[in-house]
Amino acid sequence: MALIVQKYGGTSVGNPERIRNCARRILETQRAGNQVVAVVSAMSGVTDTLIKLAKEVSPEREPVEREMDVLLATGEQTTIALTAMAINALGGKAVSLTGAQAGISTDGVHTKARIVNITPDAVKKMLDEGNIVMLAGFQGKTASGEITTLGRGGSDLTAIAMAAAIKADLCQIYTDVDGVYTCDPRVVKSAQKIPEISYEEMLEMASSGSKVMQSRSVEFANKFGVRFEVRNSMNHNPGTIVKEESPGMESVVVRGVSLERNQAKVTIDDVADRPGISAAIFGAIATANITIDMIVQNVSFDGITDISFTLSAADLAKAETALKAVLPGLGDKAQLRTQSSIAKVSVVGIGMRSHSGVAAKMFKALADAKINIQMISTSEIKTAVIVDEAEVENAARVVHTAFGLDA
Ligand code: ADP
Ligand code: ASP
Ligand code: MG
């Protein structure tokens, strides 16, 4: 008998028929002689609808984050109950548990809480009584009993963290594609399914826009050595195994291509070239709780320089407000410029550590397609560029082809 954690994403539980499909699969897994904990997301679109409703009733200010969490947690609470009902109707025995009931304790950072620890006693007891445990993804509770959520896509994290806590033999992430592909298969039709990928590559892909897995969940899996498989809830095709790096993995130079839309660029021209300027700029950004991505500073000339950075377009207005307040202290000529409608394309692969020429090949492919590169950044296993939003899909396609990733 194996202990299996499965996770079904929003599309997989998107309507009553699909919930019944998941219920059947979960029940089949149990009937094959296993204990099953099944994590579910909210039905597709529900979390977005709840966020929209919150904004509609609170147009004057950002809704209080504590209340956001009380609201958002209802999406997953709905699906655990419905899936448990479907399993029971099919002749199985299921109970649903919220994150709090399942012993998932988090810190108090509402809307992006971190898991502090998991006390899986209730889960284990219910499994031992022969139940399928339907566990609400994306949520937990603080030590003082407040409801929290784990950030968008957080049901992946619930599944991986629970798999680690109960020492599951298998963790399966069921979604609406067959696994992790060399690029988003909805954008690059010729993308191929990757049979095995290292945590590190999966993490770089996830954090550079391949939203098939929540990046924090991959970080957690890496830290606690949770191997998991990404598969399709609508078929029985083998998926992608995400695991520790193995010999031979480095022979593939580029594993995949990611794209990330809705980015924006901030440039502060003609800032004084003296100590404290960057600290003032990024201090103001940090105080406003804004996460930034790439940073570029020009070589200084005549005592002045330019600094650019990118961030999520959703944070641009907040960043402008924060920077206008510090602009007078950045030098007499300092000016603020912003640009939205940009996007990022990244190539990722652990093979980059030992192979040269990746950047040159990427830039040549973009040049041949007449796509202008606005910014560049690199890490040990990633090369990323900023391009115009309108060109991002074409950029991903030509880069995908250049690295021989097409099927
Ligand atoms: P779920 O609701 O199951 O969590 P998500 O929408 O979060 O599903 O993630 C699945 C989606 O991720 C796919 O439909 C696909 O469009 C997108 N995606 C982006 N990059 C990739 C990739 N490299 N491989 C597979 N899917 C990807
Ligand atoms: N329902 C949440 C979201 O849409 C969590 C998840 O689906 O993983 O982000
Ligand atoms: Mg997801």
Side-chain angles (χ1 to χ4, degrees), residues 5-172:
V5 173
Q6 298 185 331
K7 178 253 167 176
Y8 293 89
T11 313
S12 303
V13 292
N15 60 41
E17 201 184 311
R18 288 191 173 169
I19 290 179
R20 300 254 307 169
N21 169 59
C22 293
R24 257 179 241 114
R25 296 182 74 118
I26 295 165
L27 197 50
E28 271 166 26
T29 310
Q30 190 201 37
R31 286 184 174 156
N34 304 298
Q35 287 188 318
V36 189
V37 176
V39 175
V40 278
S41 290
M43 294 166 79
S44 59
V46 166
T47 307
D48 288 334
T49 304
L50 292 172
I51 293 171
K52 195 163 153 273
L53 279 171
K55 290 194 169 141
E56 279 170 17
V57 298
S58 178
E60 293 82 3
R61 51 162 297 175
E62 289 283 307
V64 174
E65 289 189 326
R66 177 193 184 278
E67 303 311 326
M68 274 315 279
D69 278 351
V70 174
L71 177 71
L72 295 185
T74 63
E76 274 68 14
Q77 191 165 339
T78 305
T79 38
I80 47 171
L82 291 174
T83 316
M85 286 173 194
I87 293 170
N88 293 337
L90 291 165
K93 192 173 151 208
V95 281
S96 61
L97 292 178
T98 63
Q101 288 174 314
I104 299 178
S105 302
T106 73
D107 63 18
V109 184
H110 285 291
T111 76
K112 39 184 171 302
R114 301 190 81 90
I115 295 177
V116 178
N117 67 64
I118 298 184
T119 314
D121 301 357
V123 172
K124 282 187 183 149
K125 179 166 173 282
M126 283 173 172
L127 287 172
D128 290 341
E129 289 167 3
N131 295 291
I132 287 167
V133 173
M134 288 306 313
L135 170 59
F138 177 55
Q139 52 174 266
K141 71 154 196 267
T142 64
S144 58
E146 301 282 349
I147 295 174
T148 50
T149 63
L150 310 176
R152 297 305 305 266
S155 300
D156 295 333
L157 178 58
T158 303
I160 286 168
M162 185 52 78
I166 61 176
K167 302 191 172 60
D169 301 294
L170 199 59
C171 180
Q172 300 173 316

Side-chain angles (χ1 to χ4, degrees), residues 23 35 54 79 153 191 219 240 264 266 287 407:
Q35 287 188 318
T79 38
E219 221 175 315
T240 299
V266 172
T287 307

Side-chain angles (χ1 to χ4, degrees), residues 7 153 156 211-214:
K7 178 253 167 176
D156 295 333
K211 67 161 195 144
V212 60
M213 286 300 299
Q214 187 213 30

Side-chain angles (χ1 to χ4, degrees), residues 24 60 155 239 253 356 369 383 397:
R24 257 179 241 114
E60 293 82 3
S155 300
V253 184
S356 56
T383 304
R397 263 182 238 116

Side-chain angles (χ1 to χ4, degrees), residues 11 31 80 118 125 158 161 180 199 206 279 289 299 316 364 394:
T11 313
R31 286 184 174 156
I80 47 171
I118 298 184
K125 179 166 173 282
T158 303
V180 180
Y199 293 123
N289 259 323
V299 176
L316 183 58
K364 170 86 168 53
N394 193 30

